[in-house]
Amino acid sequence: MEQNGGICTSPFQIGEQMRLEHITHIISSTSDFPEYFAAIDRLISVVKPEWVHACLAKKKLSNPRQYSPDPRLFLSGVTICCADIPTGDKDAIIGGVLATGGLYSNQVTKLVTHIVALTENNDKCRIAQAKRLKCKTVLPHWFDDCLKLGRRIDERPYMLPNPEVLLKGPEEPVRILENTDIYGASSPHAGRLPTPTGSVGVQRRELTVFQGKKVMLSQDLGIGGHLRGTIEDLITRGGGLVTGSIYNADILVCHYREGKDYVIASRAGKDVGNLPWLYHLIAHNSWTSPMRRLLHYPLAKTGLPGFKGYRVSLSNYNGEARIYLENLIKAAGGEFTKTLNQDNTHLISAHTVSEKCIAAREWNIPVINHLWLEESYAAWRVQSLTTSRYTCFPPRTNLGEVIGQTEIDRNAIEHFFFPGGPERILLDESGKVLTGKHQTQKKSSNSLNADDKSHSFPSDKVHTLSSQDEAIRAGTPMRNGRVGARAATGLTPSTPRTGGEGKENETPSTVGSRGAKDRAVARLHDLAPDIALYEKEKRRQGGVIFGGRRMSDQDSSRKRTASSEFEPDMTNAEKHDPKRPKKGRPAATIRLLITGYKRWVEHPRKEDEDRRRLRDLGILIIQDPATCTHLAAPQILRTQKFICSIASGPTVISTDFVDHCLENGELLSPEAFLLNDPEKERLFDFKLKDAISRAKSNKRGLLRGRTIYCTENVHGGFGTYKNIIEANGGHCQLYRARAGATAPLRKAAQGIESNGIEGELAYSYLISDPSPEEKRLWNRFEDLARKQGSTPRIVSADWILNVAMSQTL
C-alpha cells in the first residue's frame, strides 16, 4: 500500500483505542470489533484484505462494498462468470450476486471464484481447466437457494461434473458439516469457568481482552462469592477493572434484560452480555460483540410475546446445533419436545428427509427451518410462517451448516426493553433514581456548570443523561459530537463518531443513527429477487415494464394512481386546477379469468398489449378464481382454473368475447357470449347453468365442514385436488397410511347444510387410483374410519371433479 501511495497506521492491539479521525479504510477479515459501527457512522470503509489485491490488480480503487466483511452481504468475496445459461437466468443471477456483495466478470480470470454453467461442455470451463484456475463450476440452482435463504450454503452438492442435486435421490442421507458459529454460545447458562491456560507444561498465556475495560458483574447472575472472586481476579489480571457503579463501567454482565443497571447501560451504548459471553471472551482472549450470538445476550423473563404455548420439536439437527436450538426455544418461552405428536405446533428441521417431516405433513404441522426461530428471537417478534425463506430446504443441504449466523436486532431490543423518553434521570445521594417533583428540586439545587466541571461525574451524582454537554462530562459516548434524534429522546446519548479527548477504549454504541442503515441492509435480502427481476426486465426490447407499460411507450410517463390506474398527461395548469375532473381508465367492471385461450401462447408481448387494451375497456384480467366475476373458456374444460372458478358462481362466457372486444375496441355485453357446450355437458353429465346457480347458493361452501383425504401419487397430483377442495370450502389432507395417522369423523356442525343428503357428513372420503400400490392403502383407511364410527368411501379423482363442476354431492 505504501509503495502505491497509501498511508498505513500500526496494527491495533486488543485494548488499544482506535482513533478514527484520519482513517479512510479499515482492513479486517471480520466486522466483529468494537469500533465497527462507529466507523460505519463516519462512512469509513471496512474491507477485507482481498480489497488491496483487487485494487493493485486493477490499478485503481475497487468498490469497497464488494469486499465488506459484513455477514449480511453473504456473497461478499464471490466473483462469478456465466457460461452456457439462458440470458434471463444470467441476468437474474448477476443482479442477485451484486445485491448481496458479490462481483461479476464477463471473462474467465484468476479473480473468478465460481463459473455458473449447466454443463462443462463450453469454452469458459475449458479455459478454466486448461489454466488450472482455482474456481468452482456450479449449477445456477446454488445461487437461487442462497438468495432464498439469505445465507451462503455449501457449493459441493451443486458442483459439476457430478452435482448431487441431480444425481442423488431425496431419500439418501445428507452430508453434515461442522459449524463453529455456536461453540460457546449454545446455552444462556454458564458452564464451567474456562481458564486462560494451555496444556500441561505450557506457560500461562496472558489475558489482554479486558485491557482498559471496566466490568460490572450484576447481582442477578446468582453466582457464589468464590466464583465471583475468581472471575474478578481473571479480569484484573487481564488488565481490566471490576467496578460496582454502572456509570463507571464499560461492560455490564447480567442475566436478564431488566433492572436499572441494564436500562442505563444499554441506553449509554455500553456492552451488555451474559456470563457465557464473558466466559467466551476469557476462553478465546479475543473480542466479540454480545449481540453477535443470540444466547450471549441477556434473557427476558417473560419470553417472546406470542411464543408461549408453542410446542416445538426438532429434526435432523445434531450435537451442539441441537442443544443450541433447544435452549433458544426455551429462552423464547416455548416448550421443546423430543418426540413429535399431534399436539406439536411446529417442527424445525434441517432438511426434509426424516420420519418426523413425513408425519408432520400428515398431521398438518408446519415444517420450517431454524431461520424462523432465530429471526423471531432476534427481532423479538414472531415471524410469519408463510415467508418463503423459512420453508426453503435446498436439496442435498443440511441447514445446520448455516446455524448461529443471526445477530440480535439492536433496534428491536431498544424498542421493547429500553425505549427512550424525553425525561432525564437524576440520582440522589444514595444512587436511587428520582422522579417527579424530586427531580425538579434536585435539578434546581445541583445545576452543572459547563465551564468548571471535569470529564467525570460530579460528586453529588446528579446526571442529566439526555443533555449533550453533561453526558460528555460523564464519559458517556456521543455520536457526531451531538445528540442524535434517537438519543435526544432517550436517557443517554449515543457513541461519538470521533475518538475525542474523552475516556479511552469506549465501547461501541448499540443505538443511534445507524438504525436506518441496519434496517436497509437487512431488507436487502428480501429485495434481491426484485433487483434480479429488474435487471432482467432492463434487457427487454422496448425497455422496462412499469405497471404493465414499457418505458418506450409514449404514455409511459403517466403516473399510477392509488387505484393502480394511469392518469393521462396533464399540463401544470391542469394539475393545479381543483375544479378540473380527473380523467383516467374506467373502473374495472369485469374481473375476468381466462383458461384454455390459445391467442397468447408463445406471444408474451402481444399478451401485454392486449391486457392493457382490455384494461382500458374496463376488463381486468386476473388469476385468482376466488375473486373473478366472469370466466372465459373456449369450451367446458376440466382445468384447475375452470373447476375452481365454478365455486365462485361467475358468468361463464366464450373466449370469443375477448376477441371481439379487442377487434372492435369497445366493451361488449358478456351476455351475448354465454358459453354453450351441450356436447361436454352430456359427457360430464351436468348442466352448466344449473351448476352456476347452485354455486351462488353454496357461496364457496359446498364442502364446508368436510375433510377429504387424498393419496400422494393419485393421477393429477395431490396439489390439484387440494386446491379444488379448498376452493369449495373443504379441507384436504394427504394420506400415506402411516402409524399414528387418523381419519377423523367430521360431524355436522351448526349452520352447515348437508345439501339435501342426510348424513353425508358421516362419511370419510379417500381419493385414490385403482393401481396395486394405491389399493394397499385402502384396508387401513377403512379400518381407521370404522373405528371412529365413520363410513369409508374410497372414490376416484373423477368424483371430486364432478362434485366441483356440478356443485352438488
Side-chain angles (χ1 to χ4, degrees), residues 13-85:
Q13 304 297 327
I14 296 177
E16 182 181 356
Q17 182 184 13
M18 185 182 294
R19 311 287 293 189
L20 302 176
E21 292 90 342
H22 306 295
I23 294 177
T24 60
H25 294 74
I26 297 176
I27 300 176
S28 173
S29 59
T30 177
S31 62
D32 196 6
F33 58 91
E35 294 82 8
Y36 176 73
F37 290 106
I40 295 300
D41 286 345
R42 287 179 58 86
L43 302 181
I44 295 174
S45 298
V46 182
V47 293
K48 296 179 179 179
E50 291 85 349
W51 175 80
V52 180
H53 302 292
C55 293
L56 295 177
K58 295 180 179 180
K59 296 184 179 180
K60 64 178 182 179
L61 293 181
S62 297
N63 184 357
R65 182 179 178 276
Q66 309 298 338
Y67 298 91
S68 171
D70 192 329
R72 289 168 290 190
L73 299 175
F74 53 90
L75 289 183
S76 176
V78 172
T79 302
I80 68 167
C81 180
C82 296
D84 57 345
I85 60 175

Side-chain angles (χ1 to χ4, degrees), residues 251-398:
I251 297 173
L252 172 65
V253 181
C254 60
H255 191 67
Y256 293 109
R257 306 175 188 178
E258 61 178 33
K260 183 187 67 175
D261 291 341
Y262 168 80
V263 173
I264 293 176
S266 300
R267 286 177 173 170
K270 304 175 188 291
D271 291 302
V272 181
N274 57 17
L275 206 54
W277 171 69
L278 185 68
Y279 285 5
H280 189 276
L281 298 184
I282 296 173
H284 295 82
N285 195 28
S286 63
W287 168 264
T288 180
S289 170
M291 292 192 169
R292 165 67 182 82
R293 295 172 175 85
L294 298 180
L295 294 182
H296 274 173
Y297 195 74
L299 301 179
K301 283 186 177 180
T302 56
L304 176 60
F307 209 86
K308 187 176 181 180
Y310 285 172
R311 302 185 77 247
V312 187
S313 187
L314 300 176
S315 179
N316 298 316
Y317 291 97
N318 302 291
E320 200 80 6
R322 187 176 185 86
I323 297 173
Y324 164 76
L325 292 177
E326 290 178 10
N327 288 319
L328 195 59
I329 292 169
K330 296 174 184 176
E335 179 185 354
F336 168 74
T337 63
K338 290 185 178 180
T339 58
L340 181 74
N341 53 53
Q342 297 188 43
D343 295 332
N344 281 92
T345 59
H346 301 78
L347 175 65
I348 298 177
S349 181
H351 54 82
T352 56
V353 184
S354 73
E355 297 288 332
K356 283 187 177 181
C357 292
I358 297 174
R361 292 193 184 95
E362 291 183 359
W363 296 333
N364 286 330
I365 298 174
V367 181
I368 63 268
N369 56 44
H370 68 272
L371 295 178
W372 172 77
L373 176 62
E374 287 188 328
E375 294 184 9
S376 295
Y377 189 85
W380 208 243
R381 180 182 289 109
V382 178
Q383 303 298 303
S384 172
L385 293 173
T386 59
T387 303
S388 59
R389 183 165 65 257
Y390 306 141
T391 56
C392 178
F393 296 95
R396 312 302 307 159
T397 298
N398 188 308

Side-chain angles (χ1 to χ4, degrees), residues 27 151 188 228 341 441-442 451 528 689 764 792:
I27 300 176
R151 300 288 190 277
R228 179 182 289 268
N341 53 53
Q441 296 171 358
K442 194 70 176 178
D451 296 328
K689 182 178 180 181
S764 293

Side-chain angles (χ1 to χ4, degrees), residues 118-430:
L118 296 175
T119 66
E120 289 188 323
N121 187 23
N122 57 77
D123 293 338
K124 292 184 177 180
C125 289
R126 294 190 190 102
I127 292 174
Q129 293 171 359
K131 294 184 177 181
R132 296 183 179 181
L133 299 180
K134 296 180 179 179
C135 59
K136 302 174 181 178
T137 306
V138 297
L139 292 171
H141 309 65
W142 180 65
F143 296 94
D144 186 34
D145 290 336
C146 287
L147 293 176
K148 286 179 181 178
L149 285 171
R151 300 288 190 277
R152 179 176 174 176
I153 59 178
D154 186 34
E155 305 99 330
R156 280 180 288 181
Y158 303 85
M159 289 178 59
L160 295 170
N162 300 310
E164 291 184 18
V165 294
L166 300 181
L167 299 178
K168 291 189 176 182
E171 70 281 352
E172 296 191 36
V174 180
R175 178 192 299 111
I176 300 177
L177 298 180
E178 184 179 6
N179 187 331
T180 59
D181 285 326
I182 54 174
Y183 283 2
S186 59
S187 174
H189 303 284
R192 183 178 178 183
L193 176 66
T195 55
T197 57
S199 58
V200 178
V202 178
Q203 184 179 3
R204 176 180 297 180
R205 56 180 178 153
E206 180 183 359
L207 262 182
T208 56
V209 71
F210 298 113
Q211 283 287 344
K213 301 289 185 180
K214 298 178 182 178
V215 183
M216 178 180 175
L217 302 178
S218 177
Q219 296 298 323
D220 69 351
L221 294 175
I223 56 178
H226 177 73
L227 179 57
R228 179 182 289 268
T230 304
I231 296 174
E232 292 177 353
D233 181 60
L234 286 172
I235 294 173
T236 304
R237 284 196 288 110
L241 179 66
V242 179
T243 179
S245 171
I246 190 60
Y247 299 101
N248 295 329
D250 303 312
I251 297 173
L252 172 65
V253 181
C254 60
H255 191 67
Y256 293 109
R257 306 175 188 178
E258 61 178 33
K260 183 187 67 175
D261 291 341
Y262 168 80
V263 173
I264 293 176
S266 300
R267 286 177 173 170
K270 304 175 188 291
D271 291 302
V272 181
N274 57 17
L275 206 54
W277 171 69
L278 185 68
Y279 285 5
H280 189 276
L281 298 184
I282 296 173
H284 295 82
N285 195 28
S286 63
W287 168 264
T288 180
S289 170
M291 292 192 169
R292 165 67 182 82
R293 295 172 175 85
L294 298 180
L295 294 182
H296 274 173
Y297 195 74
L299 301 179
K301 283 186 177 180
T302 56
L304 176 60
F307 209 86
K308 187 176 181 180
Y310 285 172
R311 302 185 77 247
V312 187
S313 187
L314 300 176
S315 179
N316 298 316
Y317 291 97
N318 302 291
E320 200 80 6
R322 187 176 185 86
I323 297 173
Y324 164 76
L325 292 177
E326 290 178 10
N327 288 319
L328 195 59
I329 292 169
K330 296 174 184 176
E335 179 185 354
F336 168 74
T337 63
K338 290 185 178 180
T339 58
L340 181 74
N341 53 53
Q342 297 188 43
D343 295 332
N344 281 92
T345 59
H346 301 78
L347 175 65
I348 298 177
S349 181
H351 54 82
T352 56
V353 184
S354 73
E355 297 288 332
K356 283 187 177 181
C357 292
I358 297 174
R361 292 193 184 95
E362 291 183 359
W363 296 333
N364 286 330
I365 298 174
V367 181
I368 63 268
N369 56 44
H370 68 272
L371 295 178
W372 172 77
L373 176 62
E374 287 188 328
E375 294 184 9
S376 295
Y377 189 85
W380 208 243
R381 180 182 289 109
V382 178
Q383 303 298 303
S384 172
L385 293 173
T386 59
T387 303
S388 59
R389 183 165 65 257
Y390 306 141
T391 56
C392 178
F393 296 95
R396 312 302 307 159
T397 298
N398 188 308
L399 293 181
E401 68 185 63
V402 295
I403 200 170
Q405 297 181 7
T406 306
E407 300 183 8
I408 288 286
D409 187 335
R410 291 169 168 81
N411 298 296
I413 297 300
E414 175 187 355
H415 174 73
F416 287 104
F417 294 98
F418 50 93
E423 72 279 359
R424 299 177 176 182
I425 284 187
L426 296 179
L427 303 181
D428 61 11
E429 298 297 336
S430 61

